[in-house]
Amino acid sequence: PYKCICKVAIFGGTHGNEMSGVTLVNLWIQNGKEIQRKGVETKPFITNPRAVEKCTRYVDTDLNRAFTTENLSAPSGDDLPYEVQRAQQINETFGPKGSPEAYDVIFDLHNTTSNMGCTLILESSKDHFNLQMMHYIKKAIAPDSCPVLLTEHPLLKYSTSRSVAKHPIGLEVGPQPQGVLRSNIFESMRLVLKHALDFIELFNEGLEFPPCTVDVFRVSEKMDYPRDTNGNIIAMVHPNLQDCDWEPLNPGDPMFQTFDGTTIRYEGAGTVYPTFINEAAYYEKQQAFVTTRRETLAAGAIKKT
């Protein structure tokens, strides 16, 4: 049963140097007319103000990995890393995570330096509400594409800021350098959000959404750069792979190029679809790209009760 989607938040500045979300949220804090819809309270919110102020990804630790049970239940205090304190405050305001009081939907706005276009991030393959919303958005912005990245994985746990909501949605738009605002990226993020809020309004008005299917890219594994015994990077993303997010990578395809020009080829089993290729923020996470596999998910009909 789906009740009214009454409490919606839009997070910007989870990473303080991802400028589309920071700028849109600040705009909407000043004037929220554009994001208001009938019967919904939509709250724009800057999640990491100190990082935004410094125009850096984070101050002490990545806020978008800080929403672990351990962090959220830790005794609060000024000795905790800034982002852990912030996570606790956000969980109190918009959660608590996993509780009936939690916000219905949180959109978390991100930019990537990778050529990912306008990507929607889904955390659960069983979230029929989000699947229906993503289906609606994909149809609304066609023929432009809007890939869906499913981060559900038995071993990888992301513990995102948006995960405090009942229905968390990540929006990842690129390519855009850190600390830079590009108008095309800004406008495509704004448009996707418009369609998402329209969907919520239609749902609240009692419109029934029939069963549908959504093509997604499920996260498979994180691929690191080739390194020497001291852990230093010894190769770059191959020019054939650079900027080819969402395109098939087959066994034997060029993957990295060493500094002396040697090609390192992909040797995995079967075709994968890489994304977050050469993301600037992931060098510190020892990650050159993420492989995904294509899947089609089925969403049941949904209607407000």
Side-chain angles (χ1 to χ4, degrees):
Y2 291 92
K3 297 178 183 62
C4 157
I5 300 293
C6 302
K7 295 197 300 189
V8 175
I10 301 171
F11 284 179
T14 293
H15 297 130
N17 56 7
E18 299 178 6
M19 300 312 294
S20 304
V22 171
T23 309
L24 281 168
V25 165
N26 278 327
L27 199 67
W28 293 329
I29 287 170
Q30 285 167 349
N31 181 359
K33 210 169 84 137
E34 184 184 334
I35 56 169
Q36 294 314 327
R37 297 292 185 278
K38 283 200 292 290
V40 192
E41 187 220 344
T42 304
K43 186 176 171 64
F45 186 78
I46 295 288
T47 41
N48 196 337
R50 273 196 210 166
V52 168
E53 203 180 315
K54 288 185 156 66
C55 195
T56 182
R57 184 175 168 89
Y58 56 78
V59 179
D60 292 328
T61 184
D62 192 337
L63 179 63
N64 214 33
R65 304 290 183 273
F67 288 74
T68 59
T69 318
E70 188 185 3
N71 281 347
L72 297 180
S73 59
S76 57
D78 291 343
D79 53 334
L80 289 174
Y82 172 68
E83 279 82 4
V84 175
Q85 296 180 44
R86 213 45 211 159
Q88 291 182 348
Q89 293 159 6
I90 290 163
N91 186 51
E92 217 166 281
T93 308
F94 297 95
K97 189 168 173 170
S99 76
E101 296 81 56
Y103 263 59
D104 296 306
V105 175
I106 293 174
F107 298 100
D108 195 12
L109 309 184
H110 290 267
N111 291 117
T112 172
T113 62
S114 303
N115 188 26
M116 289 172 66
C118 211
T119 298
L120 294 164
I121 304 181
L122 176 67
E123 300 200 353
S124 162
S125 60
K126 293 167 191 63
D127 188 335
H128 292 248
F129 181 83
N130 274 358
L131 282 168
Q132 286 280 5
M133 186 191 300
M134 291 176 180
H135 179 254
Y136 176 91
I137 293 168
K138 279 162 89 76
K139 272 203 325 201
I141 72 161
D144 289 342
S145 73
C146 186
V148 175
L149 178 65
L150 173 63
T151 57
E152 189 177 70
H153 191 282
L155 303 172
L156 305 175
K157 198 80 192 88
Y158 286 93
S159 313
T160 57
S161 316
R162 59 187 173 269
S163 67
V164 305
K166 296 185 179 85
H167 304 286
I169 293 166
L171 194 43
E172 188 74 66
V173 192
Q176 178 172 277
Q178 298 171 346
V180 170
L181 196 56
R182 289 186 53 167
S183 54
N184 59 327
I185 302 294
F186 176 89
E187 293 301 350
S188 61
M189 179 179 277
R190 187 180 209 166
L191 184 64
V192 166
L193 221 50
K194 176 202 122 55
H195 291 309
L197 294 169
D198 289 349
F199 171 86
I200 291 172
E201 180 169 78
L202 290 169
F203 174 82
N204 282 336
E205 284 172 351
L207 185 65
E208 177 167 358
F209 295 88
C212 68
T213 59
V214 182
D215 293 332
V216 304
F217 294 88
R218 184 190 285 268
V219 166
S220 179
E221 62 176 325
K222 298 177 175 181
M223 304 292 288
D224 190 12
Y225 295 92
R227 293 173 189 272
D228 65 17
T229 48
N230 296 323
N232 298 310
I233 290 176
I234 55 167
M236 307 165 276
V237 169
H238 193 278
N240 290 22
L241 178 58
Q242 180 63 50
D243 299 325
C244 295
D245 299 72
W246 308 121
E247 292 177 27
L249 180 69
N250 298 301
D253 286 349
M255 179 169 63
F256 297 109
Q257 180 175 293
T258 65
F259 300 139
D260 64 7
T262 310
T263 295
I264 298 172
R265 295 174 186 277
Y266 178 64
E267 289 175 0
T271 303
V272 291
Y273 297 84
T275 194
F276 280 114
I277 297 170
N278 208 1
E279 161 61 55
Y282 289 175
Y283 276 76
E284 67 172 32
K285 296 188 195 297
Q286 279 87 52
Q287 197 174 308
F289 60 90
V290 179
T291 65
T292 71
R293 297 186 185 271
R294 294 184 66 164
E295 256 179 56
T296 301
L297 300 179
I302 63 165
K303 189 180 196 302
K304 190 176 122 192
T305 48

